[in-house]
Amino acid sequence: MTTIKLYNTKKRSKEVFTPIDPDNVRMYVCGPTVYDRAHLGNARPVLVFDILNRLLRHEYGDEHVTYVRNFTDVDDKINATAVSRKEAGASGTLEELVQQRSDETIDWYHQDMDALGALRPDVEPRATEFIPQMIAMIEGLIANGHAYAAEGHVLFAVESYADYGKLSGRTVDDMIAGARVEVAPYKRNPMDFVLWKPSSDDLPGWDSPWGRGRPGWHIECSAMSFELLGESFDIHGGGNDLMFPHHENEIAQSRCAHPSGDFANVWMHNEMLQVEGKKMSKSLGNFFTVRDLLDQGIPGEVIRFVMLSTHYRKPMDWTAEKAREAQSSLEAWRSICDGQEVNPRPPATVIEALEDDLNTPMAIAELHRLATERNAGALLAGARLLGLLESTKVGLDYDVEIVSLVNRLLALRTKAKKTRDFATADAIRDGLQEAGIKVMDTPSGANWLVERDVLDTWPFHERLRKALVQGKESDINAAKEEAKDAGISFGSELTADSTPAWVGKPTAKYILRVLLKLEGKLEALK
């Protein structure tokens, strides 16, 4: 008999999961706002709920599970990109340019999450595809006295829902502080939140009974989950940073719009991620996108292993040392399983660990035990239930030769620093920077990524300037091609003072050329 126990945030306890309909187990997870690359913290809920999705499909069957994860493609940062492209002469309406930007970032997201071994959900709705449903839900909330229109806005009246705050367990004062509420004269209550807001002519917008505008963030998930999963469904998930105000607001508007439904029966929230013991921050130099790590040569499977090694309800700390240990474990497991047949069913001990509130650390401990016993068939079956040992793909943008070369140079730099040969250490640092490689020193070793803004554009500008002054077309073209190889472009009307502009990261060919030159210099110094 299937006995899955899940921690329900709403109940503050672990309970046996009983689906509303075992023939159609339904789960909704709040997805990304698609304005840029997914950072490492964005990957954690993807992997947590990917494990739950796999477990549900194992227990109930593929055809009996519906997994929905949305894309928020209505956002000020997306709008800003669309507006800047419009001002630069791009054709199409703002709404069309928003969709183009969203198409671009959604494709990046799919590539990166695919590299982590995450199965794609059954349905991935975009907010912009459900604007009519959002408007209809807002109209119903107004008609039932749960929302009101004011100065082109529509706001949800928090006082109309008595259970507001029960999910997060916050007081009104805490909620006001936590929500960073906007003080506006048209609000009846400081806690009232926006369902619809006006759009000026220079912003994307849609026609509505309250004028041209766009939806607030919270109404999106309520409208999409209702349309795709109904007024009551089994599981709603996301990071614990969404618990308030987003999930609290979802509950209020959904229960008021559909009072006969329960909205979500089980609420699950994963804890946040740190890097080397600190909150991820660009100012600390420990901010990574998933693509950054893949570009460094860290396989997606390794990222997945490290993430799953910590229980989803505990803070997770990403370190370079953990990545090295994960790589070593996976290589050992592959050597055991190479050429072996996979068992038809995963080991009961691995299944039982996952059934106990997705206890992935315990499941991985069981895989280590099976590896020690060299039980290849069971090891392979259990690993694949966790999305591990499914392929040998590493998902690199830059080839293995570059990764190996960078790591050799960093090892030389570490040795030089230990022997106080700072001239060599600085030369390696500068050479890596010339290749567009940013190095971040951490207590457990050096991390690196290809970062276009590290690369100095001045030498490229100077070479082009000299070629333009001399007027030799072959030199001009060579200077332009070299800059293009490094991810730099110049204006169409070339003059000696043309300003360089970034268009992308350096190519693998450029990076390899610079690194080999650097390695040659170091060899000559020996």
Side-chain angles (χ1 to χ4, degrees):
M1 180 181 175
T2 298
T3 307
I4 298 174
K5 292 182 179 179
L6 301 173
Y7 185 87
N8 189 347
T9 307
K10 184 169 65 174
K11 302 287 185 62
R12 304 289 191 278
S13 64
K14 191 160 58 175
E15 59 188 25
V16 174
F17 172 65
T18 304
I20 298 168
D21 177 4
D23 288 332
N24 186 17
V25 182
R26 288 160 287 170
M27 176 168 68
Y28 185 96
V29 175
C30 288
T33 301
V34 285
Y35 62 87
D36 207 340
R37 287 278 188 187
H39 62 67
L40 192 57
N42 297 144
R44 194 174 193 199
V46 172
L47 295 181
V48 167
F49 293 103
D50 180 63
I51 291 294
L52 180 54
N53 179 41
R54 289 169 181 264
L55 177 63
L56 293 173
R57 290 177 189 278
H58 172 80
E59 302 279 8
Y60 295 98
D62 275 340
E63 69 277 15
H64 299 304
V65 176
T66 304
Y67 175 21
V68 177
R69 186 182 65 217
N70 74 294
F71 288 116
T72 293
D73 56 351
V74 180
D75 178 79
D76 287 343
K77 291 180 181 178
I78 303 172
N79 294 345
T81 301
V83 169
S84 65
R85 290 182 177 181
K86 183 76 172 175
E87 291 172 347
S91 60
T93 65
L94 280 172
E95 289 77 14
E96 289 168 342
L97 292 173
V98 163
Q99 181 170 345
Q100 288 175 19
R101 175 59 172 170
S102 299
D103 288 345
E104 181 179 60
T105 49
I106 287 172
D107 183 55
W108 293 346
Y109 186 82
H110 279 148
Q111 291 176 29
D112 294 347
M113 297 309 116
D114 288 351
L116 302 186
L119 303 175
R120 294 192 187 183
D122 299 288
V123 189
E124 295 181 289
R126 300 189 190 194
T128 52
E129 298 170 340
F130 287 80
I131 300 294
Q133 291 88 339
M134 295 178 206
I135 290 172
M137 182 175 278
I138 294 170
E139 287 180 311
L141 288 169
I142 292 174
N144 293 330
H146 294 292
Y148 58 94
E151 297 184 22
H153 295 75
V154 180
L155 297 107
F156 182 86
V158 167
E159 290 179 343
S160 72
Y161 181 61
D163 289 338
Y164 191 79
K166 282 195 172 181
L167 177 70
S168 56
R170 299 188 180 206
T171 66
V172 172
D173 288 342
D174 287 342
M175 287 190 287
I176 290 175
R180 297 175 184 159
V181 296
E182 178 190 359
V183 178
Y186 48 78
K187 282 189 175 185
R188 297 176 184 173
N189 182 315
M191 286 300 301
D192 293 350
F193 57 87
V194 172
L195 301 174
W196 189 265
K197 52 189 173 184
S199 287
S200 56
D201 292 340
D202 61 343
L203 288 172
W206 292 264
D207 291 333
S208 80
W210 317 285
R212 184 175 178 277
R214 58 198 191 279
W217 175 34
H218 312 298
I219 194 67
E220 297 174 11
C221 290
S222 287
M224 289 187 282
S225 62
F226 173 71
E227 287 296 319
L228 297 169
L229 300 176
E231 62 182 17
S232 300
F233 56 92
D234 297 296
I235 300 168
H236 195 312
N240 68 357
D241 58 325
L242 299 179
M243 192 186 308
F244 182 83
H246 184 53
H247 289 165
E248 201 76 76
N249 291 352
E250 275 190 72
I251 292 172
Q253 62 202 10
S254 294
R255 292 297 306 275
C256 291
H258 310 291
S260 61
D262 295 320
F263 194 37
N265 282 354
V266 178
W267 284 85
M268 297 179 66
H269 295 90
N270 64 272
E271 259 288 355
M272 296 294 99
L273 175 139
Q274 296 179 323
V275 174
E276 303 288 350
K278 297 180 180 178
K279 183 178 179 181
M280 194 164 61
S281 166
K282 290 182 179 179
S283 63
L284 294 176
N286 66 350
F287 181 93
F288 301 104
T289 66
V290 172
R291 181 52 49 179
D292 290 333
L293 293 181
L294 295 172
D295 284 351
Q296 290 177 34
I298 299 174
E301 186 181 43
V302 168
I303 299 172
R304 184 182 185 93
F305 189 107
V306 174
M307 292 271 194
L308 298 182
S309 297
T310 300
H311 192 271
Y312 79 92
R313 286 195 290 115
K314 292 184 178 180
M316 189 260 151
D317 188 21
W318 171 273
T319 69
E321 181 60 30
K322 286 181 180 179
R324 285 190 285 270
E325 291 172 356
Q327 178 85 62
S328 177
S329 294
L330 288 165
E331 288 174 354
W333 292 0
R334 284 190 187 283
S335 68
I336 293 169
C337 297
D338 186 35
Q340 302 299 310
E341 291 291 325
V342 60
N343 285 6
R345 282 182 56 82
T349 51
V350 173
I351 295 172
E352 288 165 5
L354 297 184
E355 287 179 335
D356 183 14
D357 194 31
L358 306 186
N359 195 335
T360 52
M362 182 180 289
I364 289 174
E366 283 298 311
L367 296 181
H368 280 300
R369 182 182 64 79
L370 293 167
T372 300
E373 296 174 355
R374 302 193 72 79
N375 189 340
L379 172 59
L380 197 52
R384 287 183 176 175
L385 181 60
L386 269 68
L388 300 169
L389 302 187
E390 291 186 329
S391 72
T392 57
K393 181 182 177 183
V394 285
L396 296 179
D397 266 2
Y398 298 104
D399 60 29
V400 174
E401 186 177 4
I402 287 176
V403 174
S404 176
L405 188 49
V406 171
N407 289 335
R408 287 205 305 273
L409 290 166
L410 288 176
L412 289 173
R413 177 173 170 267
T414 299
K415 183 179 178 181
K417 289 171 72 175
K418 285 182 178 178
T419 58
R420 304 185 68 79
D421 181 3
F422 297 118
T424 298
D426 290 346
I428 294 172
R429 179 202 61 203
D430 295 343
L432 291 170
Q433 186 169 309
E434 184 184 347
I437 291 171
K438 181 178 181 180
V439 178
M440 292 78 66
D441 292 307
T442 75
S444 56
N447 293 329
W448 64 274
L449 56 89
V450 179
E451 176 60 76
R452 63 187 189 181
D453 293 327
V454 171
L455 200 150
D456 184 7
T457 63
W458 184 85
F460 301 92
H461 181 272
E462 187 64 9
R463 280 191 284 273
L464 181 63
R465 186 189 67 78
K466 288 181 179 178
L468 287 167
V469 170
Q470 294 170 1
K472 192 174 179 180
E473 189 171 349
S474 61
D475 289 345
I476 294 171
N477 290 335
K480 286 170 63 179
E481 281 302 310
E482 184 183 26
K484 183 179 178 182
D485 213 20
I488 301 169
S489 69
F490 293 90
S492 56
E493 295 183 11
L494 286 176
T495 61
D497 61 350
S498 293
T499 302
W502 280 111
V503 293
K505 290 185 178 180
T507 65
K509 182 175 70 175
Y510 172 82
I511 295 172
L512 189 59
R513 184 169 68 244
V514 175
L515 293 181
L516 288 172
K517 180 181 174 183
L518 172 61
E519 190 175 48
K521 285 182 178 178
L522 294 173
E523 287 291 332
L525 291 174
K526 287 184 179 180

